[in-house]
Amino acid sequence: MTACTVIGLGEAGATYAAALTAAGHTVTGFDPVAPSTPQGVTRAATAAEACTGAGIVLVMTGAAAARSVAQECLPVLASGSVYADFTSSSPATMQELGQLPGKAAFADVAILGPVAALGEKTPLMVSGPGAQAVADLLRPLGVDVEITDGGPGAAMAHKLLRSVLMKGLASVVVEAVTAGRAAGLEEWIRAQIAGQLAGDGQAVIDRFLTGTAKHAVRRSKEMQDTASYLSDLGVPAEMTNASAAALARMAQTSEPALR
């Protein structure tokens, strides 16, 4: 069993800390604000104290704290230990943190799904010198851990590319359903969305890639009219306006990149 430390005991951190404890690992945690500590987890007074003697450290704070936490924790970790950063920091930040002085092997860990829904079994992608150790720790918990080539930052690059789709898609769906509800057509628009999300995904991607630039002029005007309609309904239209602007840009490009 491994001496584990979890920095950040919010939703994700508490989930992993509890799962590791249940699997028989010794878990120490630190969080300056979380109101509770998972059962069986020893809570330290500082991040550095929590990391003392740890074999592996899982950092699950907000991205804004990633640098300060690394600067506090890395100096106290011994050779052979692992520092795994789960924060949604940029690839450049992960590269920078991976080069900080210290004896621990650094791992860049990207969470590829909602921990609130999937718990500790949320799929992960890991890169960096400590990647294999992270996989060895979490795979026995039933976690799908993919190790990707490249150093620190490689896993996060994959996650942020995925976020273009997932966060953008979620925002579009919320905007469309909100507009449908305002127009009294929520069930209809829900069926339209479900139909688009089903079927041959690769064919849909190819259709979007070829058709979007080809019909950009017409579609830009259509989205401008759509934004106007949403305004009439009293529905915010950030995603619709962004689509209209993107289509207008494509229409003005002599050789669109997606053609």
Side-chain angles (χ1 to χ4, degrees), residues 201-238:
Q202 291 294 340
V204 172
I205 293 170
D206 289 340
R207 175 163 55 85
F208 286 167
L209 289 174
T210 58
T212 300
K214 181 179 179 180
H215 302 290
V217 174
R218 174 178 59 79
R219 291 180 180 179
S220 177
K221 177 61 168 64
E222 180 179 329
M223 293 307 284
Q224 292 171 28
D225 291 341
T226 303
S228 179
Y229 175 51
L230 264 60
S231 178
D232 291 343
L233 292 173
V235 173
E238 293 95 343

Side-chain angles (χ1 to χ4, degrees), residues 86-179:
F86 285 66
T87 68
S88 294
S89 301
S90 69
T93 297
M94 288 295 190
Q95 292 169 9
E96 176 190 337
L97 298 183
Q99 295 173 357
L100 289 175
K103 298 177 181 178
F106 188 89
D108 162 22
V109 187
I111 301 175
L112 302 180
V115 175
L118 302 175
E120 74 276 5
K121 292 181 172 57
T122 306
L124 303 175
M125 179 176 284
V126 193
S127 65
Q132 187 62 57
V134 173
D136 292 343
L137 176 71
L138 297 179
R139 281 174 177 163
L141 304 183
V143 187
D144 178 8
V145 182
E146 179 183 354
I147 298 176
T148 188
D149 293 336
M156 190 52 56
H158 284 75
K159 176 174 180 173
L160 296 187
L161 286 173
R162 183 177 183 273
S163 293
V164 175
L165 169 66
M166 298 306 296
K167 303 307 188 290
L169 178 61
S171 297
V172 167
V173 168
V174 168
E175 188 165 296
V177 172
T178 302

Side-chain angles (χ1 to χ4, degrees), residues 66-88:
R67 185 175 286 100
S68 62
V69 170
Q71 290 171 336
E72 179 177 355
C73 295
L74 284 171
V76 306
L77 293 173
S79 179
S81 63
V82 174
Y83 185 90
D85 191 318
F86 285 66
T87 68
S88 294

